[in-house]
Amino acid sequence: MLRVAMVDVPHVAHQATGRARMRRAPKAPRRFLANVCAGLGGCELRRLLRSCGRPPRSALRVSRRRARPQLGRRLAREGFHLSPSPLSADGFFINVQETLSCQAPLLGHSLMHHSGEVYGQEATSTLPIESLRAVAEQTFGDQPLCVLDLCAAPGSKASQVASQLHIDLLVANEPQKTRAALLQANLLRAGVSEALILSMDGTRIGAIMPNAFDVVLVDAPCSGEGNIRKDPSAWDRWAHNDHPQQLQSRLNLQKDLMSSGWQALRPGGLLVYSTCTLNHEENERQCCQLQEQGAQVVRLDEQLVPSTPEGFLRVWPHWLDVEGFFVACFYKETTHVDPAAQMDCLSLGKMGFRRLKTSEVAGLQERVLQELHFSLPPGIPVMDKEEDVFLLTKRLPLLQKLLPHTLLPGIRLLSKQQISKELRLVAGGNLSSEEWLDLYKSAGGGLGASSLSLKSAVDAPTAWKAFQEMKQQRLEPDIVSYNTLLNAFAKDSDGAGAQEVFNEMTDVSVTPGVVSFSVLIEAHARAGHRKAAEQAFRIMQELGLQPNEVTYTALLRARLLSGDLLGAEDLQNELNVVGYTLLIDAYARVGNVEKAEAAVDALSMNAAPNLATYTALMKAYSRAHQLQGAEDWNPTQLPM
């Protein structure tokens, strides 16, 4: 598939970071195996289970609206190296360079993320819109589309629609107000001005707006079995006694959402249904029920993945080393619809707006062009009773019916006679990372924006200040917020501060996970608190949490910094590249070449040593005055 022409992205072969050896495959409940995996043969089932033991592959999508030249090189300078995804023209896997720091670089830190040039999105999550794009080109040609995203938050697919399709209006719905505000902020950051954000029960939209949309997306809430690699508990739900009741509740909601979306779809339009789950009931069964309402299956492009006999796309995790996903597309037969039934007699005055005069519009356009170097997008500029200026969609009949359920009637252009934060966010420009983040927070980014502020903090005091501001705004910190704050203290080698954050987390009933304990152990290790690190490790095990390679590397650091080389060696079988490199460096400091070489050999059996590993080994040869050994050693396995 073609790359985005304006983006300079290197085509690098995928290399998994850390140790290549897989984690132990998750144990699948019998009910799950019998219902979900019944069609998989013995060998293929084993491949599935083994693949689900691998860590998830981070991915991103490039925004065609925002991306600027040299994007690949700019990402590489921050430690992100990209390799193309087979599922999307704009999708890439992120290969993060190994470092000896306590945490790898995060995409949320980068200016390219803040400015909307890239959106962190799993590879298979791009599949519904990528499939729709090919079908829509054949169905609608160059016609601008009116699109409804029924379950849109936090905005990955909605922003992808705006990036890849020719749209006239995007109606994006999220019933929870706080998530709807985050959805709005994410679309503004992605440069989407032609979006209308709803916050209502998606099962009611079809009755309010029948036969109104060219395209309807139903990315339905589901059991999430395809995300087992990042959510190991996804399969455990099948073993719970109440699973049949929970499954039926989801099935009822999915059916109601699909029926609502089908009612909202105009004759001749397309509906795309997708889930990140694997079971037949939430996928094929729901599609069969929609077919009973007259939906015609549109067979999807097999260039992406092989289609099922019914014409749907089903991605198993072991096929492409990605998350599991399901996509189906349906066509609504063309029937005669009386245009007069869709066109009411409209009055902007009745809707509470005054249309701007031609001279006012011209003055506004000139002002925006001078201040933001940005041309106003098409629409109807109006003023409300508070004298805020908005840009309304030209599809006024649709807006009139949905107006009571919208966060804003359109993009706000002026607020108290000043250019609005919403317009500034859409316009973009040469802003710093901090300026982008401030705009994002003020435009409704909510907890997500505050979490980004934590991630962007340069030190623990700055992160702590951002954390307190979050709570002052009555935003309830979640586990991601606490883990990010913990990491800031770990980077500052402040074990006591990290322990206080951890204690507060448990006091407010935020349950710490593997990441929380791993970062706490790292903080104590860097602070030289061996005893506290070991205690945190024991508590973690007592709670039934399975330590991962990052946890063992943090514990290794604690033992090494306390001078316990023998204790560190006990962890050797659990380490990744970073852990092995730390161990080899410890051998180098005492001049133990034999053990350094043995550690390199052990690492090489599972993963490729990196430059830091090679440097540590050379240090061992140097300390032991074995110049010949350094010259004889051939680093053929090092990545070039």
Side-chain angles (χ1 to χ4, degrees):
M1 304 178 74
L2 295 177
R3 301 290 105 198
V4 184
M6 61 180 170
V7 181
D8 171 38
V9 178
H11 289 220
V12 182
H14 171 69
Q15 292 179 349
T17 61
R19 189 170 54 167
R21 183 164 56 204
M22 295 181 298
R23 301 172 298 186
R24 181 175 298 176
K27 185 177 181 180
R30 290 184 179 180
R31 189 185 292 164
F32 176 83
L33 294 173
N35 287 271
V36 179
C37 304
L40 297 179
C43 291
E44 191 168 15
L45 178 58
R46 286 195 293 272
R47 288 178 58 209
L48 168 66
L49 295 177
R50 285 199 303 269
S51 72
C52 291
R54 301 190 188 102
R57 297 173 68 184
S58 298
L60 60 79
R61 175 180 50 79
V62 173
S63 171
R64 301 187 183 194
R65 292 186 175 216
R66 288 293 208 201
R68 296 182 289 111
Q70 308 296 318
L71 174 58
R73 293 183 183 179
R74 287 184 282 121
L75 283 167
R77 284 199 295 267
E78 296 193 17
F80 305 101
H81 296 272
L82 307 184
S83 57
S85 163
L87 300 178
S88 172
D90 300 340
F92 297 87
F93 292 111
I94 306 173
N95 308 314
V96 180
Q97 277 189 327
E98 284 282 354
T99 70
L100 295 180
S101 62
C102 75
Q103 189 171 4
L106 297 173
L107 187 64
H109 288 192
S110 70
L111 175 61
M112 285 72 79
H113 169 76
H114 291 169
S115 62
E117 288 189 85
V118 298
Y119 194 111
Q121 187 173 358
E122 294 170 1
T124 46
S125 175
T126 65
L127 192 55
I129 310 307
E130 196 68 43
S131 302
L132 170 64
R133 184 167 64 94
V135 177
E137 289 175 354
Q138 298 176 4
T139 306
F140 305 113
D142 294 332
Q143 171 189 339
L145 303 176
C146 184
V147 179
L148 168 64
D149 189 345
L150 208 55
C151 314
S156 59
K157 296 177 183 63
S159 59
Q160 187 182 358
V161 164
S163 177
Q164 294 188 339
L165 271 65
H166 183 196
I167 63 170
D168 181 39
L169 176 66
L170 170 63
V171 177
N173 180 62
E174 166 53 46
Q176 294 183 21
K177 284 287 178 65
T178 54
R179 283 171 56 83
L182 175 62
L183 167 65
Q184 177 177 259
N186 281 334
L187 289 176
L188 291 171
R189 185 174 51 159
V192 182
S193 60
E194 56 272 59
L196 193 63
I197 310 301
L198 302 184
S199 183
M200 63 179 297
D201 182 356
T203 63
R204 297 174 48 217
I205 293 180
I208 295 175
M209 288 302 305
N211 304 314
F213 296 93
D214 303 304
V215 172
V216 174
L217 306 174
V218 185
D219 186 49
C222 66
S223 57
E225 297 144 3
N227 291 327
I228 181 67
R229 303 205 304 187
K230 67 177 183 180
D231 180 16
S233 66
W235 291 2
D236 296 341
R237 290 187 281 268
W238 280 80
H240 295 169
N241 293 331
D242 66 345
H243 178 263
Q245 293 82 4
Q246 294 293 331
L247 176 61
Q248 189 58 52
S249 176
R250 283 192 297 272
L251 292 174
N252 293 340
L253 176 59
Q254 291 162 357
K255 181 180 178 181
D256 291 345
L257 287 170
M258 288 182 76
S259 296
S260 176
W262 186 249
Q263 190 177 4
L265 185 68
R266 72 162 176 84
L270 298 171
L271 183 145
V272 173
Y273 175 74
S274 61
T275 74
C276 57
T277 196
L278 302 173
N279 69 78
H280 179 88
E281 286 84 355
E282 296 181 68
N283 294 327
E284 285 86 352
R285 176 183 167 189
Q286 298 287 27
C287 293
C288 289
Q289 291 178 344
L290 189 63
Q291 288 177 270
E292 293 173 0
Q293 299 183 41
Q296 296 181 2
V297 175
V298 178
R299 183 170 288 274
L300 295 175
D301 188 356
E302 293 196 21
Q303 291 182 3
L304 301 175
V305 294
S307 63
T308 68
E310 301 90 347
F312 311 139
L313 297 182
R314 175 189 281 276
V315 181
W316 291 93
H318 61 290
W319 283 4
L320 296 169
D321 194 22
V322 291
E323 312 307 310
F325 222 83
F326 177 87
V327 184
C329 184
F330 301 93
Y331 176 77
K332 194 172 190 177
E333 282 190 331
T334 305
T335 58
H336 175 70
V337 177
D338 184 5
Q342 296 292 318
M343 295 298 294
D344 300 325
C345 182
L346 295 175
S347 168
L348 287 173
K350 291 181 180 179
M351 296 171 66
F353 301 113
R354 173 183 72 81
R355 189 162 190 161
L356 295 188
K357 299 176 183 178
T358 303
S359 59
E360 292 176 311
V361 174
L364 178 61
Q365 288 176 329
E366 183 178 357
R367 178 180 175 183
V368 171
L369 192 61
Q370 287 182 350
E371 289 192 34
L372 303 181
H373 305 287
F374 179 71
S375 298
L376 285 181
I380 303 173
V382 300
M383 181 179 290
D384 69 3
K385 295 178 181 178
E386 304 297 327
E387 297 190 348
D388 282 355
V389 176
F390 293 90
L391 195 66
L392 303 188
T393 174
K394 293 182 179 179
R395 303 199 181 214
L396 291 178
L398 187 149
L399 174 61
Q400 184 182 37
K401 292 185 177 182
L402 295 179
L403 193 58
H405 310 284
T406 60
L407 295 190
L408 294 174
I411 180 174
R412 195 194 325 256
L413 303 180
L414 295 181
S415 178
K416 302 186 186 306
Q417 301 304 312
Q418 300 299 316
I419 291 180
S420 70
K421 56 183 176 292
E422 291 90 356
L423 182 58
R424 291 184 183 277
L425 201 54
V426 167
N430 295 322
L431 305 175
S432 69
S433 185
E434 292 75 16
E435 289 170 328
W436 273 107
L437 193 50
D438 286 343
L439 275 177
Y440 179 52
K441 290 170 64 177
S442 63
L447 183 60
S450 296
S451 295
L452 284 178
S453 293
L454 287 176
K455 292 177 182 177
S456 301
V458 295
D459 52 28
T462 306
W464 179 255
K465 181 180 178 181
F467 186 77
Q468 296 306 316
E469 290 175 353
M470 177 191 301
K471 293 196 290 187
Q472 290 169 7
Q473 296 168 9
R474 297 186 178 181
L475 296 172
E476 197 68 33
D478 58 6
I479 189 169
V480 175
S481 308
Y482 278 105
N483 287 347
T484 305
L485 185 59
L486 279 171
N487 188 61
F489 281 96
K491 287 181 177 179
D492 277 8
S493 302
D494 187 350
Q499 188 66 58
E500 288 185 18
V501 173
F502 188 88
N503 293 342
E504 178 182 324
M505 183 184 350
T506 56
D507 289 343
V508 298
S509 300
V510 175
T511 304
V514 174
V515 173
S516 311
F517 275 98
S518 299
V519 180
L520 177 63
I521 294 168
E522 180 73 28
H524 283 309
R526 288 173 175 264
H529 301 160
R530 160 76 181 278
K531 184 177 179 180
E534 296 280 3
Q535 182 180 10
F537 184 78
R538 285 194 300 273
I539 294 173
M540 178 183 181
Q541 291 181 306
E542 290 170 0
L543 292 174
L545 295 174
Q546 185 66 39
N548 59 22
E549 294 165 343
V550 176
T551 316
Y552 283 113
T553 299
L555 187 61
L556 174 90
R557 191 189 301 273
R559 294 181 180 180
L560 289 176
L561 290 179
S562 69
D564 184 6
L565 187 53
L566 292 177
E569 290 175 342
D570 291 340
L571 304 175
Q572 183 166 335
N573 292 333
E574 307 295 342
L575 302 178
N576 59 9
V577 173
V578 172
Y580 266 104
T581 302
L582 287 172
L583 186 59
I584 294 165
D585 187 70
Y587 289 139
R589 287 199 299 271
V590 297
N592 194 329
V593 173
E594 289 185 3
K595 286 195 172 183
E597 290 177 330
V600 172
D601 290 340
L603 170 61
S604 301
M605 294 176 63
N606 301 300
N610 61 20
L611 183 59
T613 314
Y614 171 68
T615 302
L617 182 59
M618 293 301 102
K619 186 191 296 184
Y621 285 124
S622 175
R623 182 65 61 90
H625 305 289
Q626 293 187 17
L627 181 59
Q628 187 61 46
E631 292 177 347
D632 292 342
W633 191 74
N634 181 21
T636 56
Q637 299 185 55
L638 281 176
M640 300 304 290

